[in-house]
């Protein structure tokens, strides 16, 4: 009874903080940390201590999966270099720097244990940063880099933590540790791809939304557990599975399945993310009590935490310089690749092979054409959204820590000297970075981009994409009408006037159905303006009813729009935000179009 009441109060706090935060312009995670600290120090409130296994095994997999399924592959591919640099190299560099500083500040803490602390506080949590950035107009590419970094750096941190923990026990050797790291990454990627492919195939065969939802909820754990049993990174396996699922959902899942999954995982993500920040605040009192009256007291821990925050900011800022300089060479690489594809495409066109090609060879030429267009789109994206000093400033100041820091710190072995102080220092770093960066980041964004970043471009992009999809729908309707007219003509010729000519009224009804289908294909991109379609079956015998003609043509139009959207996503000519907006609109309209029995 008491647990149920506390759960209800916690949910009310999460929802209330989210509503209040949106009203006053402060990210909900920041409010929840402060609220948790205040509640934790109430006289009647018992000390709160959460088993780290609950967060590492129960909370982290679904949290990372929910984030990964929403990360477009095209963004991850285009930002692979900065994402890997920040999530792997910077984590290792920061962990080593923190380890040497802590060991110098408190010599009684062994260097491996100090490096373990560095591994704990090195990974960033992009929840607060991206929620602030999206609201205030942070550039899309910066948001994509932060989201990609937060997905991968958790795996680096936990693998590095295992290595440092082994070194504390005296079983560390550089060569085996390096081999174990690469083994962990490679096996995790393979497990993630296998589980992703298997679960996507299974879910594509399901027709019940209940069954699909149940399978969806266990996917993160199905990926996490085998990877951990194979001594690989379960976190990375979950991320790979989520990326694979999110990329193939548009092709393999129905519109209703995608709609249900978005809503379900947004709810899960909201509860887990915000719940963890509330728990962070609640545990402060318990961590302070564990420190007691040891030689390393609270003032020393406070000084150490401030020094670690300053060191982390310095490492991240310094790392941005070579990172931004290295990104300049990406444009030249894209230019060379684009020139190569254009040259190859021109030779194919001049040879006349395209006109004679059929079957499998035609598919290869189509893939070549898509790769050529994608290469040109990548080059244009790199030129238009090249990372500059303003992006580097915001990336440097977005290093907030969160859920992984909280959970991983408590997994440090009890035999490590000053373990309570280490855990409290890690917690203090997480809270300080959340409040410091979270409260000041809006000021940076407003100063660097007073008018927002790319707002006008996004509107033009949506208009252009809507026009392309509408043209694809019109072409599909025209082809269907022409095919039907040819079929009717053949039928009349075969009957040799045995049946009367087509009824003019029937022709009028068909023309009206065509016009309605064209209008509905346009309104499918504006969900609020779309009208509910008739739910009559498509299979007909004899002359079609006008409503059946309308629905058949509208289905063909929606299929053509979806195929065009998938092709544009593969090319990357439009931003992921525009592609996602169009997909949401088409899914919403298609869900309303389908008969209830199919949902």
């Amino acid at each position: 009874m008491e647990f149920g009441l506390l759960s209800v109060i916690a949910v009310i706090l999460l929802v209330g903080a989210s509503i209040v935060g949106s009203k006053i312009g402060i990210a909900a995670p920041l409010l929840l940390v402060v609220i948790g600290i205040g509640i934790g120090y109430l006289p009647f409130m018992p000390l709160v201590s959460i088993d780290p296994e609950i967060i590492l095994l129960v909370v982290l997999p679904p949290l990372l999966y929910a984030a990964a399924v929403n990360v477009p592959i095209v963004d991850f591919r285009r930002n692979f270099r900065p994402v890997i640099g920040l999530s792997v190299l910077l984590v290792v560099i920061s962990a080593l720097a923190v380890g040497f500083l802590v060991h110098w500040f408190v010599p009684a803490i062994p260097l491996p244990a100090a490096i373990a602390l560095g591994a704990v506080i090195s990974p960033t949590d992009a929840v607060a940063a991206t929620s602030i950035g999206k609201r205030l107009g942070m550039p899309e590419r910066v948001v994509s880099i932060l989201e990609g970094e937060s997905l991968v750096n958790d795996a680096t941190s936990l693998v590095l933590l295992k290595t440092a923990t082994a070194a504390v026990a005296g079983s560390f050797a550089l060569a085996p540790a390096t081999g174990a790291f690469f083994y962990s990454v490679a096996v995790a990627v393979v497990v993630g791809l296998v589980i992703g492919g298997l679960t996507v195939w299974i879910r594509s065969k399901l027709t019940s939304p209940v069954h699909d939802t149940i399978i969806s909820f266990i996917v993160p754990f199905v990926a996490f557990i085998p990877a951990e049993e194979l001594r690989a990174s379960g976190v990375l396996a979950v991320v790979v599975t989520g990326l694979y699922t999110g990329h193939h959902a548009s092709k393999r899942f129905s519109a209703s399945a995608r709609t249900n999954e978005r809503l379900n995982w947004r709810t899960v993500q909201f509860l887990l993310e915000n719940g963890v920040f509330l728990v962070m605040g609640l545990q402060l009192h318990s961590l302070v009590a564990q420190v007691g009256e040891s030689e390393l007291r609270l003032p020393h821990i406070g000084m150490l935490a401030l020094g670690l925050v300053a060191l982390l900011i310095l490492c991240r800022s310094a790392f941005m310089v070579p990172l931004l300089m290295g990104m300049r060479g990406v444009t030249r690489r894209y230019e060379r690749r684009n020139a190569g594809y254009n040259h190859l495409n021109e030779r194919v066109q001049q040879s006349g092979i395209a006109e004679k090609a059929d079957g499998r060879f035609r598919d290869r030429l189509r893939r070549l054409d898509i790769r050529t267009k994608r290469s040109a789109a990548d080059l244009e994206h790199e030129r238009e959204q090249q990372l500059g000093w303003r992006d580097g400033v915001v990336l440097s100041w977005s290093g907030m820590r969160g859920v992984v820091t909280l959970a991983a710190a408590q997994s440090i072995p009890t035999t490590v000297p000053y373990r309570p102080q280490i855990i409290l220092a890690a917690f203090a770093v997480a809270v300080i970075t959340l409040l410091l960066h979270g409260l000041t980041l809006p000021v940076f964004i407003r100063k660097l981009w007073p008018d927002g970043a790319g707002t006008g471009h996004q509107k033009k992009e949506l208009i252009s994409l809507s026009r392309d999809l509408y043209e694809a729908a019109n072409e599909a309707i025209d082809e269907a009408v022409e095919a039907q007219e040819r079929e009717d003509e053949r039928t009349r010729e075969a009957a040799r006037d045995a049946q009367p000519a087509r009824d003019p009224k029937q022709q009028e009804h068909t023309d009206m159905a065509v016009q309605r289908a064209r209008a509905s294909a346009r309104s499918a991109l504006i969900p609020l303006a779309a009208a509910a379609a008739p739910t009559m079956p498509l299979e007909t015998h004899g002359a079609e009813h006008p409503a059946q003609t309308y629905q058949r043509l509208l289905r063909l139009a929606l299929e053509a729009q979806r195929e065009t959207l998938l092709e544009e996503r593969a090319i990357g000519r439009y931003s992921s935000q525009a592609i996602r907006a169009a997909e949401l609109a088409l899914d919403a309209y298609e869900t309303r179009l389908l008969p209830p029995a199919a949902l």
Side-chain angles (χ1 to χ4, degrees):
M1 187 68 176
E2 182 179 353
F3 177 78
L5 179 60
L6 291 176
S7 300
V8 171
I9 294 173
V11 172
I12 293 173
L13 286 175
L14 298 184
V15 175
S18 178
I19 295 173
V20 173
S22 63
K23 297 287 185 182
I24 63 177
I26 297 178
L30 308 180
L31 286 179
L32 289 168
V33 169
V34 175
I35 292 172
I37 293 174
I39 295 176
Y41 273 93
L42 292 175
F44 57 84
M45 189 70 184
L47 297 178
V48 177
S49 181
I50 303 295
D51 187 350
E53 292 295 316
I54 295 177
I55 295 180
L56 288 174
L57 301 180
V58 179
V59 176
L60 203 55
L63 195 57
L64 290 174
Y65 179 83
V69 293
N70 291 315
V71 173
I73 289 293
V74 63
D75 289 347
F76 196 83
R77 176 177 60 81
R78 285 172 171 171
N79 298 310
F80 184 79
R81 180 173 294 189
V83 165
I84 294 301
L86 292 171
S87 59
V88 179
L89 292 179
L90 181 58
V91 168
V92 174
I93 292 171
S94 300
L96 294 176
V98 167
F100 283 106
L101 176 66
V102 171
H103 182 62
W104 172 80
F105 188 78
V106 186
I109 299 179
L111 180 59
I115 293 176
L117 173 60
V120 165
I121 65 176
S122 293
T124 58
D125 190 325
V127 174
T130 54
S131 63
I132 294 170
K134 291 177 180 177
R135 188 177 70 248
L136 297 179
M138 183 188 291
E140 296 173 1
R141 188 169 193 182
V142 176
V143 173
S144 299
I145 291 173
L146 289 174
E147 289 176 340
E149 177 193 4
S150 66
L151 285 177
V152 182
N153 63 12
D154 294 340
T156 306
S157 169
L158 294 177
V159 171
L160 189 60
L161 177 61
K162 289 181 181 179
T163 305
T165 302
V168 172
S171 58
F172 175 79
L174 181 60
T178 304
F181 178 83
F182 287 104
Y183 168 84
S184 177
V185 171
V187 172
V189 171
V190 172
V191 170
L193 290 175
V194 170
I195 298 299
L198 181 62
T199 54
V200 166
W201 179 81
I202 292 174
R203 294 177 60 192
S204 67
K205 304 299 180 182
L206 300 176
T207 57
S208 169
V210 175
H211 299 158
D212 183 68
T213 300
I214 293 173
I215 297 297
S216 175
F217 282 153
I218 67 171
V219 167
F221 305 102
V222 172
F224 184 87
I225 295 173
E228 288 292 322
E229 290 296 322
L230 294 172
R231 298 185 181 277
S233 173
V235 169
L236 184 58
V238 171
V239 170
V240 173
T241 301
L243 290 173
Y244 184 94
T245 304
H247 182 68
H248 288 82
S250 299
K251 296 181 181 178
R252 307 292 296 277
F253 298 164
S254 65
S256 59
R258 286 190 296 269
T259 302
N260 292 335
E261 183 167 51
R262 290 189 196 103
L263 180 60
N264 292 334
W265 280 108
R266 279 184 63 186
T267 304
V268 171
Q269 191 173 16
F270 173 83
L271 291 174
L272 293 179
E273 283 179 349
N274 292 286
V276 166
F277 286 109
L278 179 63
V279 170
M280 283 179 63
L282 289 172
Q283 288 193 98
L284 178 63
H285 192 181
S286 174
L287 293 174
V288 171
Q290 292 178 27
V291 172
E293 295 296 325
S294 63
E295 298 177 359
L296 192 60
R297 300 187 179 182
L298 290 179
H300 302 112
I301 297 175
M303 292 175 57
L304 177 61
L306 290 174
L308 293 179
V309 170
L311 178 62
L312 291 173
I313 294 174
L314 180 63
C315 288
R316 191 173 180 87
S317 301
F319 190 80
M320 288 299 161
V321 177
L323 179 66
L324 295 179
M325 293 179 63
M327 289 299 293
R328 295 178 182 176
V330 175
T331 305
R332 293 190 293 270
R333 182 165 59 87
Y334 280 148
E335 289 175 347
R336 290 193 297 267
R337 189 182 69 176
N338 187 53
Y341 273 120
N342 286 333
H343 179 67
L344 180 59
N345 217 16
E346 288 176 3
R347 291 184 60 184
V348 170
Q349 297 298 327
Q350 292 173 0
S351 65
I353 298 177
E355 289 77 8
K356 303 176 183 178
D358 57 355
R360 184 178 299 178
F361 193 69
R362 179 174 293 177
D363 292 337
R364 291 181 180 178
L365 291 179
R366 183 175 176 273
R367 287 196 295 269
L368 173 62
D369 182 59
I370 290 177
R371 288 173 183 171
T372 303
K373 293 178 179 178
R374 181 171 63 189
S375 177
D378 289 344
L379 177 59
E380 184 179 0
H381 172 271
E382 191 63 34
R383 286 172 175 171
E384 290 183 352
Q385 300 192 35
Q386 191 169 23
L387 295 175
W389 67 269
R390 289 184 296 183
D391 306 295
V393 170
V394 172
L395 286 171
S396 300
W397 203 250
S398 300
M400 289 166 263
R401 272 65 185 174
V403 54
V404 176
T405 297
L406 171 70
Q410 297 180 72
S411 65
I412 294 176
T414 55
T415 56
V416 174
Y418 297 103
R419 179 179 180 272
Q421 288 82 353
I422 291 176
I423 296 176
L424 184 58
F427 179 86
V429 168
V431 173
I432 291 172
T433 55
L434 274 172
L435 298 178
L436 173 64
H437 296 308
L439 295 175
T440 57
L441 188 59
V443 178
F444 279 83
I445 296 175
R446 290 192 185 98
K447 291 291 185 181
L448 294 173
W449 294 282
D451 300 324
T455 305
H457 175 70
Q458 292 173 3
K459 293 179 180 178
K460 294 178 181 178
E461 200 175 36
L462 286 173
I463 293 173
S464 177
L465 179 57
S466 299
R467 187 184 301 113
D468 290 346
L469 296 181
Y470 182 58
E471 290 176 357
N474 271 339
E475 291 177 4
I477 292 173
D478 289 340
E479 291 176 1
V481 171
E482 292 173 2
Q484 185 62 47
E485 290 176 350
R486 289 194 298 268
E487 180 64 27
D488 291 344
E489 184 66 26
R490 283 195 296 267
T491 302
R492 284 194 294 271
E493 290 178 357
R496 294 182 179 179
D497 299 328
Q499 63 180 27
R502 192 169 188 180
D503 185 1
K505 191 172 183 180
Q506 178 68 27
Q507 181 64 43
E508 181 182 352
H509 287 319
T510 301
D511 293 341
M512 290 178 61
V514 170
Q515 293 175 8
R516 287 186 63 200
R518 294 187 195 278
S520 295
R522 181 189 292 273
S523 66
L525 300 173
I526 312 173
L528 296 179
T535 57
M536 301 184 67
L538 291 181
E539 295 76 8
T540 61
H541 301 279
E544 275 188 326
H545 189 278
Q548 294 172 325
T549 303
Y550 161 71
Q551 194 179 59
R552 176 173 61 84
L553 293 176
L554 183 54
R555 282 180 180 273
L556 291 173
L558 287 174
E559 290 174 3
Q561 288 179 322
R562 196 169 296 284
E563 289 177 4
T564 302
L565 189 63
L566 290 174
E567 183 173 322
E568 290 295 344
R569 186 186 69 170
I571 293 172
R573 186 159 39 207
Y574 295 102
S575 68
S576 300
Q577 287 73 18
I579 296 292
R580 176 60 59 87
E583 184 179 41
L584 290 173
L586 290 177
D587 284 349
Y589 193 78
E590 186 176 340
T591 302
R592 297 178 65 181
L593 172 67
L594 287 176
L599 293 178

